[in-house]
Amino acid sequence: MDKQTPLVEMKNMGISFGGVHAVDDVSVDLYPGEVVGLLGHNGAGKSTLIKMLSGAYQGTGDIYVNGEKVEIHNPRDARKHNIETIYQTLALADNLDAAANLFLGRELMTPAGTLDDDAMEAETRKIMGRLNPNFQKFSSPVSALSGGQRQSVAIARAVYFNARILIMDEPTAALGPQETQMVAELIQQLKAEGIGIFLIDHDVHAVLELCDRASVMKNGKLVGTVNIPDVTDDDLLSMIILGKKPGEKAAG
Amino acid sequence: MQNNAKNFFSKLGLDTRLLGMIGALVVLWIVFDVITGGRFLTPRNLFNLSVQTASVAVMATGMVFVIVTRNIDLSVGSMLGFIGMVVAALQVQVLPDMLGLGNPMIWIIGVLAAISLGAMLGAFQGWIIGYLTVPAFIVTLGGFLVYRGAMWWVTEGQTQAPLDATFRLLGGGAEGTLGVTLSWAFGVISAVAAVALMLMSRRRKAGHGFTVKPIWAEGILMGLAAGLILCFVWVMNSYPIAKGAMKRIAKADGIELTEGMVWYHGVAIPVVILLVVTVGMTIVASRTRFGRYVYATGGNPEAAELSGINTRLLTVKIFALMGALTGIASIIASARLNAVDVGLGTLDELRVIAAAVIGGTALSGGFGTIYGAVIGALIMQSLQSGMASVGVDAPLQSIVVGIVLVFAVWIDIVYRRRTGQ
């Protein structure tokens, strides 16, 4: 795996808000077809770190995509590099329908320069047919959808635009067991297509089940990155809570 | 029976809110007509109603975008007055000296000046709101005071009159109409366009394999749309021009008047302006990126920003548009009165906000339609004109309008809760 060029490398990332180092000199990377978990308490800095990759925040440090240094100043830049984000809040406009949300900021237009709502709905029907065949509410505002349906709209938005790098912020936090299973299957499917996924979560078991590697953060700093097959849930918990790598623990 | 009716309306695919508003308007008209003994639903009164509604309704279409994005604009009444005063002073004091009295460029310059001044003032307010992040309520409250004061300084409080003869046509009146023939042409073209648009949309949807309304439902809607347009033209074309005005027009056009000759008004020019603005704003709201972003930002500002929408610039554009529409409304209002005094536009901001809100625009953002705001303005104006013609005292009129406003918003909240929006 090390011979390959990483899809993304974030080197020495840092950002502070009002004197507090929310992220302090953190480096992580992600390879094609890999799921890397980002673990940590609330406020550990994992969401902030990832928002620098998705263009919502600007901090210090270097970002490399496919080995090339890139500048990401806003969400549009991130999308240009095929980095798609599924936010914890899903970032859906509740008053608009699924198609309008899916294409928000990247609308399909008619030759006359007006919105092509019918084409957008047709495309939405296609992709939803693949991701969530039970989905039928195409003309209702997304506020009328269930948690899982909303989640599938948010995922469809990322997948439709050929994401190479997918960021998922607690994708199963608001879901029931069945819907969680659906998301897990979807992650396997995306992995198989060679997409790299950053999975932010504070549920250790979800990470153990879904991820290949995990990077743990505490108080804005990186505790360490481990291969999932090499660690137990207790190892991860002690990294999260005590900020100690498994090796250190054995030595101390 | 109730289920049948429900099924019928759902097949038609008409918005229940739209039906409710039209229902309220019809009830209002019938009640006033009965109380006044048939003096309300006359061509004459309906013509006046349409002209009186135009100025507020034009602004209400812009206020929809402002309120949908969770902002408010309290400055439109004062801004209307200020723009009106500047443009009137231009027509009365500046341009005639430069170009000569009655020069055809005067009204064109006046119109362009009004719209561009409004757009600039609006853009400036929008910049303060979007980029300096001062709340819209405060910025436009400031504007409300500034423009009213500035209006006085333009002419040191002097009323400006009379306005340019061509400019005056934009405010309606006996001369300011399309006349019978043009009105019919306008009506037929509008009706054909409406039917054609509905057919095209249906074909496009069917082309994508979506389910479309049954053909009979589509037919009823087309008939209704065309019928309403032509009916309106017919009513406007049945309002005769008074003898005095006829003599004036005949003299101006060099026509010999004979005994028993009757001319009719037709559709007033400000109403044509309102219809063009309404259609234009509806297209902007539903068919353009800008409109889509307005609603997305209103529904979830954070999501809009994360989707790469520049919400600050969007705020500037929305307020600039509001300003430009205020400029158009100012043209209509000043032309109708053929004079501008320092009171022009007083309290209009509240009428405009009330029209948008009665028309179903939610102050919490994200929801609101252009046609709703226009019907809202028509309801407000009908209420006021109706009460005036019944002989209700002015203070009581205010009380009733105030109560109706609160009641209408409460109904809207109940409706939203029921339909789960």
Side-chain angles (χ1 to χ4, degrees):
Chain A
M1 190 119 86
D2 285 344
K3 298 270 165 58
Q4 266 180 304
T5 316
L7 264 180
V8 189
E9 272 185 285
M10 296 175 78
K11 283 188 180 164
N12 312 108
M13 304 303 290
I15 190 169
S16 11
F17 298 108
V20 178
H21 292 287
V23 173
D24 190 5
D25 196 26
V26 173
S27 301
V28 291
D29 54 8
L30 176 70
Y31 288 87
E34 185 190 36
V35 183
V36 171
L38 282 174
L39 278 163
H41 280 306
N42 283 333
K46 51 198 193 318
S47 288
T48 311
L49 173 70
I50 226 66
K51 277 189 173 167
M52 287 191 272
L53 182 60
S54 63
Y57 292 154
Q58 279 83 50
T60 57
D62 298 326
I63 300 174
Y64 297 84
V65 173
N66 292 322
E68 278 174 45
K69 192 169 187 299
V70 296
E71 299 284 332
I72 296 177
H73 298 295
N74 54 48
R76 260 176 218 278
D77 289 346
R79 288 175 163 189
K80 246 184 282 168
H81 297 294
N82 297 69
I83 301 169
E84 294 285 339
T85 311
I86 299 164
Y87 293 96
Q88 191 175 1
T89 54
L90 302 183
L92 299 174
D94 276 340
N95 53 337
L96 302 182
D97 62 17
N101 270 292
L102 206 149
F103 287 93
L104 190 58
R106 293 179 284 202
E107 290 77 7
L108 300 180
M109 309 298 277
T110 62
T114 58
L115 294 175
D116 197 342
D117 277 324
D118 296 330
M120 288 192 266
E121 186 178 330
E123 288 299 305
T124 306
R125 281 173 187 269
K126 264 188 235 161
I127 183 117
M128 292 307 278
R130 186 151 79 81
L131 296 179
N132 185 358
N134 297 327
F135 189 90
Q136 284 306 326
K137 291 184 172 172
F138 289 99
S139 50
S140 324
V142 295
S143 59
L145 307 182
S146 73
Q149 289 170 330
R150 291 162 57 82
Q151 186 79 46
S152 55
V153 173
I155 293 174
R157 173 161 61 182
V159 175
Y160 179 81
F161 291 98
N162 300 319
R164 294 274 296 127
I165 300 146
L166 190 58
I167 300 165
M168 301 174 105
D169 195 349
E170 307 216 9
T172 58
L175 301 185
Q178 215 175 353
E179 291 168 329
T180 303
Q181 187 56 35
M182 189 195 89
V183 172
E185 280 166 21
L186 191 69
I187 289 175
Q188 294 306 325
Q189 191 186 329
L190 297 173
K191 243 180 94 160
E193 292 173 18
I195 295 171
I197 300 174
F198 275 124
L199 185 71
I200 304 174
D201 223 313
H202 49 224
D203 176 7
V204 171
H205 297 282
V207 170
L208 281 172
E209 193 181 321
L210 296 170
C211 299
D212 301 301
R213 287 188 299 148
S215 294
V216 180
M217 289 181 70
K218 184 174 161 66
N219 297 336
K221 290 196 165 70
L222 184 71
V223 177
T225 302
V226 292
N227 287 323
I228 290 294
D230 303 343
V231 291
T232 64
D233 51 354
D234 282 341
D235 291 336
L236 285 177
L237 280 172
S238 83
M239 286 174 80
I240 294 167
I241 298 165
L242 303 171
K244 282 182 184 166
K245 284 193 77 169
E248 291 173 22
K249 197 177 163 191
Chain B
M1 183 62 209
Q2 210 191 352
N3 268 343
N4 273 346
K6 214 180 241 175
N7 198 16
F8 176 75
F9 281 119
S10 81
K11 280 260 169 54
L12 281 181
L14 277 179
D15 185 4
T16 42
R17 171 182 279 122
L18 174 63
L19 290 174
M21 281 191 294
I22 291 176
L25 189 62
V26 168
V27 168
L28 208 58
W29 283 7
I30 291 174
V31 167
F32 280 129
D33 200 52
V34 169
I35 298 177
T36 55
R39 274 189 297 122
F40 193 82
L41 289 179
T42 57
R44 182 186 155 185
N45 193 50
L46 292 176
F47 178 88
N48 288 333
L49 195 60
S50 73
V51 173
Q52 286 160 356
T53 305
S55 161
V56 165
V58 164
M59 290 190 281
T61 62
M63 192 61 82
V64 171
F65 284 5
V66 171
I67 297 179
V68 160
T69 48
R70 309 183 182 190
N71 288 311
I72 195 81
D73 193 338
L74 300 174
S75 71
V76 294
S78 297
M79 195 194 281
L80 181 144
F82 175 66
I83 296 171
M85 189 60 97
V86 169
V87 172
L90 210 58
Q91 287 174 56
V92 175
Q93 294 180 6
V94 183
L95 292 176
D97 290 344
M98 288 165 58
L99 303 167
L101 199 65
N103 186 304
M105 283 307 288
I106 291 180
W107 78 273
I108 296 174
I109 293 173
V111 167
L112 293 179
I115 296 173
S116 46
L117 180 59
M120 280 188 309
L121 295 174
F124 181 59
Q125 293 191 138
W127 175 75
I128 299 176
I129 296 162
Y131 286 88
L132 306 186
T133 65
V134 183
F137 187 94
I138 300 300
V139 174
T140 59
L141 181 62
F144 166 85
L145 296 168
V146 169
Y147 302 134
R148 188 60 68 190
M151 183 183 184
W152 194 88
W153 285 109
V154 175
T155 59
E156 306 215 304
Q158 275 177 15
T159 299
Q160 297 296 301
L163 303 184
D164 177 75
T166 317
F167 186 86
R168 227 149 63 199
L169 301 182
L170 303 174
E175 286 99 333
T177 68
L178 290 184
V180 173
T181 320
L182 264 182
S183 293
W184 277 124
F186 173 73
V188 170
I189 291 170
S190 308
V192 169
V195 170
L197 279 177
M198 288 160 95
L199 275 175
M200 267 159 54
S201 153
R202 181 187 173 83
R203 188 168 307 161
R204 223 177 30 236
K205 281 197 165 40
H208 281 290
F210 302 164
T211 43
V212 290
K213 290 171 201 162
I215 188 71
W216 61 262
E218 204 92 52
I220 289 180
L221 286 181
M222 288 177 198
L224 265 179
L228 268 176
I229 293 169
L230 294 175
C231 190
F232 172 71
V233 172
W234 173 67
V235 171
M236 295 298 115
N237 276 346
S238 327
Y239 173 30
I241 296 177
K243 283 277 175 285
M246 260 174 80
K247 274 187 199 139
R248 200 170 64 225
I249 297 169
K251 202 173 149 204
D253 294 354
I255 301 170
E256 194 82 28
L257 270 187
T258 54
E259 198 61 38
M261 207 173 174
V262 191
W263 289 347
Y264 294 91
H265 279 81
V267 181
I269 289 175
V271 177
V272 176
I273 296 174
L274 170 62
L275 292 177
V276 170
V277 166
T278 306
V279 171
M281 287 291 285
T282 303
I283 292 171
V284 169
S286 57
R287 301 248 67 95
T288 66
R289 276 218 166 99
F290 171 69
R292 176 61 47 85
Y293 295 170
V294 165
Y295 284 88
T297 304
N300 187 346
E302 198 200 1
E305 222 157 306
L306 291 173
S307 301
I309 296 169
N310 185 342
T311 52
R312 292 169 175 228
L313 186 60
L314 191 75
T315 305
V316 176
K317 288 182 188 165
I318 291 166
F319 277 87
L321 180 61
M322 179 76 249
L325 290 167
T326 306
I328 294 175
S330 163
I331 295 167
I332 295 174
S334 58
R336 186 164 80 87
L337 299 171
N338 188 21
V340 176
D341 65 33
V342 286
L344 183 73
T346 305
L347 285 184
D348 267 8
E349 58 283 333
L350 301 183
R351 292 194 187 100
V352 170
I353 293 168
V357 167
I358 285 181
T361 309
L363 286 166
S364 51
F367 295 98
T369 55
I370 302 297
Y371 64 75
V374 173
I375 296 175
L378 190 55
I379 290 176
M380 292 276 295
Q381 190 58 49
S382 301
L383 201 59
Q384 246 165 354
S385 305
M387 284 192 294
S389 59
V390 170
V392 177
D393 293 339
L396 188 56
Q397 284 185 28
S398 297
I399 293 173
V400 172
V401 169
I403 292 171
V404 166
L405 175 63
V406 175
F407 181 73
V409 173
W410 176 66
I411 293 281
D412 192 56
I413 288 170
V414 172
Y415 171 82
R416 272 181 222 280
R417 205 176 292 151
R418 286 263 172 90
T419 56
Q421 276 188 7

